Amino acid sequence: MSSTLGKEKDSKEKDPKAGPPGKEREKEAKALASFGKDGGKEAKTKGKDAKEGKKDGGGAPPAVAFSVDNTIKRPNPAPGTRKKSSNAEVIKELNKCREENSMRLDLSKRSIQMLPTSIKELTQLAELYLYSNKLQSLPAEVGCLAGLVTLALSENSLTSLPDSLDSLKKLRMLDLRHNKLREIPAVVYRVTSLTTLYLRFNRITAVEKDIHKLSKLTMLSIRENKIKQLPAEIGKLCSLITLDVAHNQLEHLPKEIGNCTQITNLDLQHNELLDLPETIGNLASINRLGLRYNRLSPSQVLANAESWRSLT
């Protein structure tokens, strides 16, 4: 009997080198799990306290503390900070361009909302890139850049252009893609030196008769707008090589399109075309003619197909 009692007594005694009892180990494991890596030090302290029989002080649960830590965010910059920084960078670039007498200035992707009027001092410029900004308008001083050949304004929020642009007598390429134009600005028709005009992805509903003034155009892209018809004056653009009017609302083409005999690429896809003028057969230089996704019958498409090298 005494032997049995002795064994039971021995089995209930704690080994000083052994870990804490089962309940205490479970409590320690839960504490560690709640804190994760960031709460490692605190968890170890709690584990030590558990061994020594100390109780939790009754503070906020570890999980709540961890959640609060996770929601901490960097404070937003003070109002106007980004704008001032952007303007400072722009002015710095303008000064550098003037000092170096550079003929090319790239101010793209700067979140510019307004172009400084001091741009007028850069009269030596031949190329000005302003795409992917936040411009809603341009200062009239842009018209002072008499030597400008390329003006890239795509991916802004432009709704108009200053009348002073007609002073740019050397301008050959004007890029107005992805803006908010509801019409082709009247001043564009007066920039008669243009050879390339991009107006893709705006809100334009019409092409005016004044388009004939741009007789030097070789590339005209007015795709992805809301244009319902083209004026007969389009036929006076005899230098056109590429005409892209895809993704509009055209039901008919003017017969004068047949006068644009230099065209090699004519994209009419994704319109509402019901027919094609017979004069389109005059476009003997066509390499690619896009007609898919219209309302044309097969016979209308094939009527002049023999003279076209690529039909899509």
Side-chain angles (χ1 to χ4, degrees):
M1 176 77 70
S2 59
S3 178
T4 303
L5 290 173
K7 289 182 180 180
E8 289 179 354
K9 185 178 179 180
D10 292 341
S11 64
K12 291 182 180 179
E13 289 180 358
K14 297 179 182 179
D15 185 350
K17 295 182 180 180
K23 289 185 179 179
E24 292 182 348
R25 284 201 302 271
E26 183 178 350
K27 184 175 179 182
E28 181 181 347
K30 286 183 179 178
L32 287 171
S34 299
F35 278 94
K37 293 182 180 180
D38 293 335
K41 292 182 179 180
E42 187 176 349
K44 287 180 179 179
T45 302
K46 286 185 176 292
K48 184 177 180 182
D49 291 344
K51 282 187 177 183
E52 295 174 358
K54 294 181 181 180
K55 293 185 179 179
D56 195 345
V64 174
F66 184 68
S67 176
V68 171
D69 291 343
N70 262 352
T71 59
I72 295 175
K73 296 180 180 179
R74 293 180 180 179
N76 291 326
T81 301
R82 292 179 182 177
K83 185 176 180 181
K84 289 180 180 179
S85 176
S86 176
N87 286 341
E89 290 178 3
V90 172
I91 292 173
K92 182 179 179 181
E93 289 292 333
L94 294 182
N95 291 336
K96 180 180 178 182
C97 182
R98 183 178 61 253
E99 292 170 2
E100 297 179 355
N101 201 35
S102 177
M103 297 180 67
R104 184 181 187 277
L105 178 60
D106 189 347
L107 294 175
S108 302
K109 301 181 180 180
R110 304 293 183 93
S111 297
I112 302 172
Q113 295 182 346
M114 185 172 292
L115 196 62
T117 56
S118 57
I119 190 74
K120 66 182 180 181
E121 300 173 9
L122 307 181
T123 54
Q124 82 282 0
L125 278 184
E127 301 177 21
L128 177 57
Y129 299 92
L130 292 165
Y131 63 84
S132 295
N133 280 294
K134 298 179 181 179
L135 296 169
Q136 295 183 14
S137 62
L138 292 179
E141 286 77 6
V142 171
C144 297
L145 308 180
L148 210 58
V149 175
T150 298
L151 179 56
L153 298 166
S154 62
E155 298 178 42
N156 279 282
S157 297
L158 295 171
T159 57
S160 63
L161 293 175
D163 287 337
S164 60
L165 239 61
D166 60 7
S167 299
L168 306 180
K169 304 300 183 182
K170 296 182 180 181
L171 192 64
R172 293 171 62 83
M173 197 283 284
L174 178 59
D175 187 354
L176 291 165
R177 291 174 294 176
H178 291 263
N179 276 282
K180 296 182 179 179
L181 299 171
R182 294 188 177 277
E183 61 182 3
I184 299 176
V187 67
V188 171
Y189 297 119
R190 301 198 299 271
V191 186
T192 57
S193 57
L194 286 175
T195 60
T196 301
L197 177 58
Y198 294 107
L199 288 162
R200 173 180 181 174
F201 212 95
N202 276 278
R203 302 169 184 179
I204 299 168
T205 58
V207 178
E208 303 299 331
K209 294 179 179 180
D210 286 343
I211 192 69
H212 77 273
K213 295 179 180 179
L214 304 180
S215 58
K216 295 181 181 179
L217 281 181
T218 59
M219 166 63 177
L220 175 59
S221 175
I222 47 179
R223 68 182 288 140
E224 292 172 280
N225 280 285
K226 300 178 180 180
I227 300 169
K228 294 184 177 180
Q229 64 179 14
L230 296 176
E233 285 73 12
I234 197 81
K236 295 184 179 181
L237 305 184
C238 298
S239 298
L240 270 183
I241 294 175
T242 297
L243 175 59
D244 189 350
V245 292
H247 293 269
N248 278 286
Q249 300 171 16
L250 299 173
E251 292 187 355
H252 307 282
L253 293 177
K255 63 181 181 180
E256 289 78 8
I257 193 79
N259 297 332
C260 304
T261 55
Q262 300 301 311
I263 289 182
T264 61
N265 188 342
L266 177 58
D267 198 342
L268 301 167
Q269 298 180 84
H270 293 273
N271 275 282
E272 300 293 333
L273 289 174
L274 298 169
D275 52 41
L276 294 173
E278 293 182 3
T279 55
I280 203 168
N282 298 340
L283 307 182
S285 299
I286 285 282
N287 287 326
R288 180 179 179 276
L289 175 61
L291 289 173
R292 289 184 297 179
Y293 306 107
N294 277 285
R295 297 162 65 187
L296 298 166
S297 66
S299 59
Q300 291 170 326
V301 174
L302 296 174
N304 297 293
E306 293 181 1
S307 61
W308 302 327
R309 298 178 186 179
S310 178
L311 181 65
T312 60

